[in-house]
Every structure is written in C-alpha cells, then in structure tokens.
C-alpha cells in the first residue's frame, strides 16, 4: 500500500523512522526531515519517491547503493552523519539509565577496510560473488567496492575464481579476504572437506592469483608468502580467518585511546579478549601484560610475535574461555589496569567480576553500543564512573560503531574486603 511518510529520525540500523497510526515504520535509505512516498508492508517500507528531500541529502558515490546491503547511510552529509553515529552511543547509554557524555566521533576509515567477506552463490554452475541485498538473502554481484583499501582491489575477482573452482559442490560460501603484507590472505568457509581434485585446483589458483595464503575452514591449503599484519612496528602472522579491526587506522585509533586509558603508571595490565595482540603488543612497551583469549591459534600468534620483538616487557599469552571462566575478583585485583574487548555480545560475566574488583582503571572496547551500555551499567552499579567514552567510525556508512571508554573507581567506592575466619 502506498503511503506518504514523514521521516522523523534515523534508527539504529540506519533506516528512516516514520510514525503512522499503525505504529512505527522503517524505510531504508530515507533521511530525517524527508517526505517520501513508500510501499508500506507492516513495519517495513520501500521508498518509491522522495517528495521533499532533506537539505542534508547528498549523492551516493557507489553505483550499488540502494541495492547492496553493505552500506545503510551513504547519502547523508558528513556533519549530520557524524551526529547520527555519535547518537547511537548516546541513545544506548540513555536507555541503560546512564547519563554520561559521549565525545565527538573519530573518523578512522583511513585507507579503507583491510578485510572483507564475500558471499558466493551458484546459478546453473556459474559462481556469483558479492554482498547480500538489503534485508534479503539475494546476492548483489560486485566487481569493485569503493570502501576497500587498495590492496584488496583484486579480492572480488579472486573470490569469484575460487568459488568457481568449487562449483561442483553448489554450496553457499563465505570467502574472507584480508590484505596482508605478503598479499591476499583468503579463508573459504562453507565448502566442507575438500576432495583431492578440488585441492589441486585451489593450489593452481593460489599460484596464478599470487595469493599469500589460502585456507579452507581455517585449515591451510597453501602458504606461499608470510601473511603478516603490522601492529605498531611489530609484525604478527595471524591464523587463517583471525579477527582484525576492520581498518588499520581504526586499530591505531582504538589502541591510542586504550593506552591513554591505561595510563603510563600502570605496570601490570590484563588484556582480555586479546586476539592477536593489537593492544597487548603496544602496551608491553611500558608494562607487563597478561593477554587472554579463547582463540588458541590467535594466542599462539601473539606469543610468537612477543618472543621475537625487541624492547617489550614480558607478555604472558594464555588461552582461556572468558565466557565460561571469566577472571575472578582475586585474579583481577592483581592488575593495575584491565582492558577488555569482547565480541559483539559483550562480556556480562566478566563485567560483573570487574564491578566487584578493586581494579582502579578499566578500559572497555566494544563494537556494539547496546552490549557496551549493558556492561557499563554493571560497572556503574559497582562504583565505577566513565571518564571518557569515545566513538570511533571504522565502518563508514554502516550502523556499526566502535567505542572506547575509561572507567575509574573512586577510592571511597572500593568494595569492602571481607575478613576470612580461620
């Protein structure tokens, strides 16, 4: 049904929000202040025409915008865009009952995204590679994505060739490509165990495409050149498919804020959910670091890098599932500062233990404002207050947002120690 909608604001997914007699309606690619004509079905709307455009509307730079689901907001002028993205953090905190200020948004797009995951689907034995359509399981085939850094320019073609080599399986694939120092580092997911002929075909392609490394479900297919990434001035060789911050500039910006939060007086620091050491390897320039993550291969990569780097304080790299076995209060109290950077779901159990600890400085890094606000509320109830909360945008034109915050416990808010009877 066609309706005339007035867009009030952008929602947390980047969709325009309109209010109707039936309730809220969400219109993708519409902007605040606009009047649009849209096909409305339930709470979803597809914009047919923009009757009154926003003064903040600009032209999109990508020909796939409006079809590809990778970018939610590409037509909003920079000042209004930054205000919306900062507002995502403000709204999440407010909904959690926290009245803490949020600093201005830091643009950390830099040279572009250094990692990307393509989806592969098949039609009559022909591989099609790209991203998913907005709110759909249909594929948008792409050859170029302007958000990727230059070293990934050949990644779409490489992903398509690799997918075609596995066309006999007909299975949907996810093909993750990372820009490494040795070239493209690619991990294929979804194919299952490979047959010998498939492995041989992939080996030939890795050679012809000049890939640094090729893996299948994290298992090495071939290693041609060391696929390194630089963490500061230290080279690390992550395992296939390892987590990295989306942009190199994003990692550097987050790390600077982490170091600021830890401070220069902390001599014993915990880095929880450490991955391959984006923070630990930098913090070890001045402090002993205990780095913990459940990804054994990532921890081993961090340990190897720490052992070969010069000028670092000791790093104890440990594999431990912090969701099942979070550090307890006794363990936490041994540290001057704790950094924690959990996955999108946050770290409720670890936040609860931190809230009961006597750690003076806690630096939280998050990629989800809602789980961040939940964990921040736990720390707040334990007597911690945020000294700064900084949003970082390394996923430009999407609703994804990084946050870095410093929490400090006031001396008078320290939990009382219980006397243990003998």
């Amino acid at each position: 049904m066609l309706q005339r909608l007035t867009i009030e604001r952008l929602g947390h997914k980047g969709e325009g929000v309109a209010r109707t007699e039936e309730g809220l309606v969400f219109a993708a690619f519409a902007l605040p202040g606009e009047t649009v004509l849209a096909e409305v079905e339930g709470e979803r709307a597809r914009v047919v025409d923009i009757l009154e455009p926003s003064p903040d509307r600009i032209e999109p730079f990508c020909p796939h915008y409006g079809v590809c689901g990778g970018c939610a907001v590409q037509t909003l002028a920079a000042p209004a865009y930054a205000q919306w993205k900062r507002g995502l953090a403000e709204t999440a905190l407010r909904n959690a009952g926290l009245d803490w200020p949020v600093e201005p948004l830091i643009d950390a797009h830099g040279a572009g995204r250094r990692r990307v995951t393509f989806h592969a689907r098949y039609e009559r034995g022909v591989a099609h590679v790209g991203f998913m359509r907005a709110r759909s399981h249909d594929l948008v085939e792409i050859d170029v994505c302007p958000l990727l850094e230059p070293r990934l320019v050949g990644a779409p073609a490489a992903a398509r060739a690799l997918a075609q080599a596995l066309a006999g399986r007909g299975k949907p694939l996810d093909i993750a490509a990372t820009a490494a120092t040795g070239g493209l580092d690619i991990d294929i997911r979804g194919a299952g165990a490979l047959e010998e002929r498939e492995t041989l075909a992939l080996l030939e392609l890795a050679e012809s495409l000049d890939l640094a490394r090729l893996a299948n479900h994290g298992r090495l297919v071939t290693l041609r050149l060391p696929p390194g990434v630089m963490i500061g001035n230290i080279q690390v060789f992550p395992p296939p498919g390892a987590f990295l911050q989306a942009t190199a500039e994003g990692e550097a910006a987050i790390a600077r804020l982490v170091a600021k939060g830890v401070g220069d007086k902390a001599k014993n620091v915990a880095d929880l959910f450490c991955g391959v050491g984006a923070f630990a390897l930098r913090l070890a320039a001045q402090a002993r670091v205990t780095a913990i993550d459940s990804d054994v291969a990532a921890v081993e990569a961090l340990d190897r890098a720490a052992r070969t780097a010069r000028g670092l304080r000791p790093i104890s790299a440990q594999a431990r599932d912090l969701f099942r076995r979070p550090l307890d209060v006794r363990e936490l109290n041994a540290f001057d500062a704790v950094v924690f950077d959990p996955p999108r779901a946050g770290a409720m159990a670890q936040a609860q233990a931190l809230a009961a600890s006597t750690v003076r400085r806690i630096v939280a890094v998050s990629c989800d404002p809602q789980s961040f606000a939940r964990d921040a509320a736990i720390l707040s109830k334990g007597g911690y207050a945020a000294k700064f909360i900084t949003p970082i945008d390394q996923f430009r034109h999407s609703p994804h947002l990084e946050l870095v915050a410093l929490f400090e416990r006031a001396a008078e808010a320290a939990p009382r120690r219980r006397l243990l009877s003998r």
Side-chain angles (χ1 to χ4, degrees):
M1 180 175 64
L2 282 176
Q3 287 190 35
R4 185 185 178 101
L5 301 175
T6 299
I7 307 300
E8 295 183 355
R9 57 185 173 84
L10 282 184
H12 70 277
K13 293 183 178 180
E15 297 173 311
V17 180
R19 195 178 303 274
T20 71
E21 293 181 357
E22 290 75 27
L24 297 180
V25 173
F26 301 88
F29 313 120
L31 300 180
E34 292 188 331
T35 301
V36 302
L37 188 65
E39 292 180 348
V40 179
E41 184 176 348
E43 64 175 15
R44 295 294 176 186
R46 184 180 70 85
V47 175
V48 175
D49 191 17
I50 301 174
L51 304 177
E52 297 178 20
S54 165
D56 291 318
R57 178 172 283 277
I58 59 176
E59 287 297 314
F61 56 84
C62 178
H64 298 293
Y65 182 70
V67 179
C68 173
C71 288
V73 182
Q74 212 181 83
T75 55
L76 187 60
Y81 168 82
Q83 183 179 358
W84 164 67
K85 209 141 197 194
R86 179 189 183 192
L88 296 176
E90 294 173 324
T91 299
L93 289 167
R94 187 166 55 249
N95 291 342
L98 299 172
D99 185 22
W100 289 333
V102 177
E103 297 193 1
L105 181 74
I106 294 176
D107 180 0
H109 181 73
R113 298 185 193 175
R114 61 180 174 179
R115 61 179 178 85
V116 60
T117 298
F118 298 105
H119 306 294
R121 301 292 185 268
Y122 298 95
E123 185 177 352
R124 297 179 181 178
V126 177
H128 300 275
V129 170
F131 301 132
M132 307 312 293
R133 289 179 182 269
R135 303 192 311 276
S136 170
H137 295 293
D138 296 332
L139 190 77
V140 178
E141 191 159 15
I142 66 161
D143 294 313
V144 176
C145 175
L147 293 181
L148 304 182
E149 71 161 76
R151 290 184 298 167
L152 286 174
V153 67
R160 188 171 294 109
L162 294 168
Q164 189 61 51
L166 300 175
R169 292 178 172 260
K171 291 184 177 181
L173 302 177
D174 288 338
I175 302 174
T178 300
T181 54
L184 289 179
D185 182 13
I186 293 182
D187 185 29
I188 301 171
R189 302 273 171 164
L194 300 176
E195 297 178 4
E196 183 178 359
R197 61 178 179 78
E198 293 171 323
T199 300
L200 291 174
L202 292 180
L203 287 171
E204 291 180 5
L205 278 173
E207 188 74 26
S208 64
L209 295 170
D210 197 23
L211 303 183
R213 177 172 63 186
L214 178 62
N216 177 50
H217 288 267
R219 294 185 176 182
L220 187 65
V221 174
T222 183
L223 175 64
R224 299 181 59 255
L225 292 168
V229 296
M230 299 303 298
I231 294 179
N233 60 357
I234 299 171
Q235 186 165 229
V236 181
F237 299 99
F243 171 80
L244 295 172
Q245 295 294 343
T247 70
E249 178 56 33
E251 178 184 288
I254 295 169
R256 285 192 293 269
L257 288 169
V258 167
K260 174 185 174 182
V262 167
D264 55 9
K265 295 182 180 179
K267 300 304 177 186
N268 193 14
V269 179
D271 180 8
L272 309 183
F273 308 95
C274 63
V276 297
F279 310 139
L281 289 169
R282 290 175 166 100
L283 293 171
Q286 65 181 40
R288 297 187 305 276
V289 179
T290 299
I292 303 175
D293 199 285
S294 61
D295 187 334
V296 176
V299 170
E300 291 174 346
L302 164 57
D303 187 58
R304 286 193 296 270
R307 291 178 184 277
T308 57
R310 295 183 178 181
L312 298 184
R313 301 289 179 88
I315 296 178
S316 174
Q318 304 174 15
R320 173 170 170 173
D321 188 336
L322 292 169
F323 291 105
R324 296 184 176 182
R325 286 202 308 130
L327 266 64
D328 61 30
V329 171
R330 177 185 58 81
E331 293 172 299
L332 291 167
N333 288 346
F335 298 105
D336 303 319
V338 172
V339 180
F340 74 114
D341 180 16
R344 189 169 300 280
M348 181 184 293
Q350 190 62 78
Q352 290 169 338
L354 283 164
S357 75
T358 58
V359 177
R360 290 300 301 271
R361 299 169 78 87
I362 298 171
V363 181
V365 182
S366 174
C367 60
D368 184 85
Q370 281 72 40
S371 63
F372 168 80
R374 181 203 65 205
D375 293 349
I378 293 171
L379 294 176
S380 176
K381 289 179 181 178
Y384 286 90
K387 297 303 177 181
F388 67 76
I389 301 173
T390 305
I392 297 174
D393 188 17
Q394 61 173 339
F395 289 95
R396 192 185 282 175
H397 310 298
S398 85
H400 298 303
L401 182 68
E402 297 286 334
L403 293 165
V404 183
L406 168 63
F407 296 92
E408 286 188 350
R409 179 190 291 288
E412 61 273 14
R416 295 180 180 179
R417 298 178 181 272
R418 292 184 177 180
L419 294 177
L420 300 177
S421 58
R422 299 189 179 185

